[in-house]
Coordinates of all heavy atoms in Angstrom, one line a residue:
F1 N 0.2 -3.0 7.9 CA 0.7 -1.6 8.2 C 0.3 -1.2 9.6 O -0.9 -1.3 9.9 CB 0.2 -0.7 7.1 CG 0.9 -0.7 5.8 CD1 0.7 -1.7 4.9 CD2 1.8 0.3 5.5 CE1 1.4 -1.8 3.7 CE2 2.5 0.3 4.3 CZ 2.3 -0.8 3.4
I2 N 1.3 -0.7 10.4 CA 1.0 -0.2 11.7 C 1.6 1.2 11.9 O 2.5 1.5 11.1 CB 1.5 -1.2 12.8 CG1 3.1 -1.4 12.6 CG2 0.8 -2.5 12.7 CD1 3.7 -2.2 13.7
G3 N 1.2 1.9 12.9 CA 1.7 3.2 13.1 C 0.7 4.1 13.8 O -0.4 3.8 14.0
T4 N 1.2 5.3 14.2 CA 0.3 6.3 14.9 C -0.7 6.9 13.9 O -0.5 6.8 12.7 CB 1.2 7.4 15.5 OG1 2.0 8.0 14.5 CG2 2.1 6.8 16.6
G5 N -1.7 7.5 14.5 CA -2.7 8.2 13.6 C -2.1 9.5 13.0 O -1.2 10.1 13.5
G6 N -2.6 9.8 11.9 CA -2.2 11.1 11.2 C -0.9 11.1 10.5 O -0.3 12.2 10.3
V7 N -0.3 9.9 10.2 CA 1.0 9.9 9.5 C 0.8 9.4 8.0 O 1.8 9.2 7.4 CB 2.0 9.0 10.2 CG1 2.3 9.5 11.6 CG2 1.4 7.5 10.3
G8 N -0.4 9.3 7.6 CA -0.6 8.8 6.2 C -0.5 7.3 6.0 O -0.3 6.8 5.0
K9 N -0.8 6.5 7.1 CA -0.7 5.1 7.1 C -1.6 4.4 6.1 O -1.3 3.6 5.3 CB -0.9 4.5 8.5 CG -0.8 3.0 8.6 CD -0.7 2.6 10.1 CE -1.8 3.2 10.9 NZ -3.2 2.7 10.5
T10 N -2.9 4.9 6.1 CA -3.9 4.3 5.2 C -3.5 4.6 3.8 O -3.6 3.7 2.9 CB -5.3 4.9 5.5 OG1 -5.6 4.6 6.9 CG2 -6.4 4.3 4.6
T11 N -3.1 5.8 3.5 CA -2.8 6.2 2.1 C -1.5 5.5 1.7 O -1.4 5.0 0.5 CB -2.5 7.7 2.0 OG1 -3.6 8.4 2.5 CG2 -2.2 8.2 0.6
T12 N -0.6 5.3 2.6 CA 0.6 4.5 2.3 C 0.3 3.1 2.0 O 0.9 2.5 1.0 CB 1.7 4.6 3.4 OG1 1.9 6.0 3.7 CG2 3.0 3.9 3.1
A13 N -0.5 2.5 2.7 CA -0.9 1.1 2.5 C -1.6 0.9 1.1 O -1.3 0.0 0.4 CB -1.9 0.6 3.6
A14 N -2.5 1.9 0.8 CA -3.2 1.9 -0.5 C -2.1 2.1 -1.6 O -2.2 1.4 -2.7 CB -4.2 3.0 -0.5
S15 N -1.1 2.9 -1.4 CA -0.1 3.2 -2.4 C 0.7 2.0 -2.7 O 1.0 1.6 -3.9 CB 0.8 4.4 -2.0 OG 0.0 5.6 -1.9
V16 N 1.1 1.3 -1.6 CA 1.9 0.1 -1.8 C 1.1 -1.0 -2.5 O 1.6 -1.7 -3.4 CB 2.4 -0.5 -0.4 CG1 3.0 -1.9 -0.6 CG2 3.4 0.5 0.2
A17 N -0.2 -1.1 -2.2 CA -1.1 -2.1 -2.8 C -1.2 -1.8 -4.3 O -1.1 -2.7 -5.2 CB -2.5 -2.0 -2.2
F18 N -1.3 -0.5 -4.6 CA -1.4 -0.1 -6.0 C -0.1 -0.4 -6.8 O -0.1 -0.9 -7.9 CB -1.7 1.4 -6.1 CG -1.7 2.0 -7.5 CD1 -2.8 1.8 -8.3 CD2 -0.7 2.7 -8.1 CE1 -2.9 2.2 -9.6 CE2 -0.7 3.2 -9.4 CZ -1.8 3.0 -10.2
G19 N 1.1 -0.1 -6.1 CA 2.4 -0.4 -6.7 C 2.5 -1.9 -7.0 O 3.1 -2.2 -8.1
K20 N 2.1 -2.8 -6.1 CA 2.2 -4.2 -6.3 C 1.3 -4.6 -7.5 O 1.6 -5.5 -8.2 CB 1.9 -5.0 -5.0 CG 3.0 -4.9 -4.0 CD 4.3 -5.4 -4.5 CE 5.4 -5.2 -3.5 NZ 6.7 -5.6 -4.1
A21 N 0.1 -4.0 -7.6 CA -0.8 -4.3 -8.7 C -0.1 -3.9 -10.0 O -0.2 -4.6 -11.1 CB -2.1 -3.6 -8.6
M22 N 0.6 -2.7 -10.0 CA 1.3 -2.3 -11.2 C 2.4 -3.2 -11.6 O 2.7 -3.4 -12.8 CB 1.9 -0.9 -11.0 CG 0.8 0.2 -10.8 SD -0.2 0.5 -12.3 CE 1.1 1.3 -13.3
E23 N 3.0 -3.9 -10.6 CA 4.1 -4.9 -10.9 C 3.6 -6.2 -11.5 O 4.4 -7.0 -11.9 CB 4.9 -5.1 -9.6 CG 5.7 -4.0 -9.1 CD 6.3 -4.3 -7.8 OE1 6.5 -5.5 -7.4 OE2 6.7 -3.3 -7.1
G24 N 2.3 -6.4 -11.4 CA 1.7 -7.6 -12.0 C 1.0 -8.5 -11.0 O 0.6 -9.7 -11.4
F25 N 0.9 -8.1 -9.8 CA 0.3 -9.0 -8.7 C -1.2 -8.7 -8.6 O -1.7 -7.6 -8.8 CB 1.0 -8.8 -7.4 CG 2.5 -9.2 -7.4 CD1 3.5 -8.2 -7.5 CD2 2.9 -10.5 -7.4 CE1 4.8 -8.5 -7.6 CE2 4.2 -10.8 -7.4 CZ 5.2 -9.9 -7.5
K26 N -1.9 -9.7 -8.1 CA -3.3 -9.6 -7.7 C -3.3 -9.2 -6.2 O -2.9 -10.0 -5.3 CB -4.1 -10.9 -7.9 CG -5.6 -10.7 -7.7 CD -6.3 -12.0 -8.0 CE -7.8 -11.9 -7.8 NZ -8.5 -13.2 -8.2
V27 N -3.8 -8.1 -5.8 CA -3.6 -7.5 -4.5 C -5.0 -7.1 -3.9 O -5.8 -6.5 -4.6 CB -2.7 -6.3 -4.5 CG1 -2.4 -5.8 -3.1 CG2 -1.4 -6.6 -5.2

């Protein structure tokens, strides 16, 4: 994940990771 500061990049990365775990992957 890349992008400028203050756009929620860290939270978005964590959310995508959580989503992939929900789908059944080890993340």
Side-chain angles (χ1 to χ4, degrees):
F1 279 76
I2 58 175
T4 57
V7 296
K9 178 167 52 65
T10 299
T11 305
T12 304
S15 298
V16 171
F18 179 77
K20 287 300 174 185
M22 293 295 289
E23 291 174 20
F25 297 102
K26 186 177 182 180
V27 185

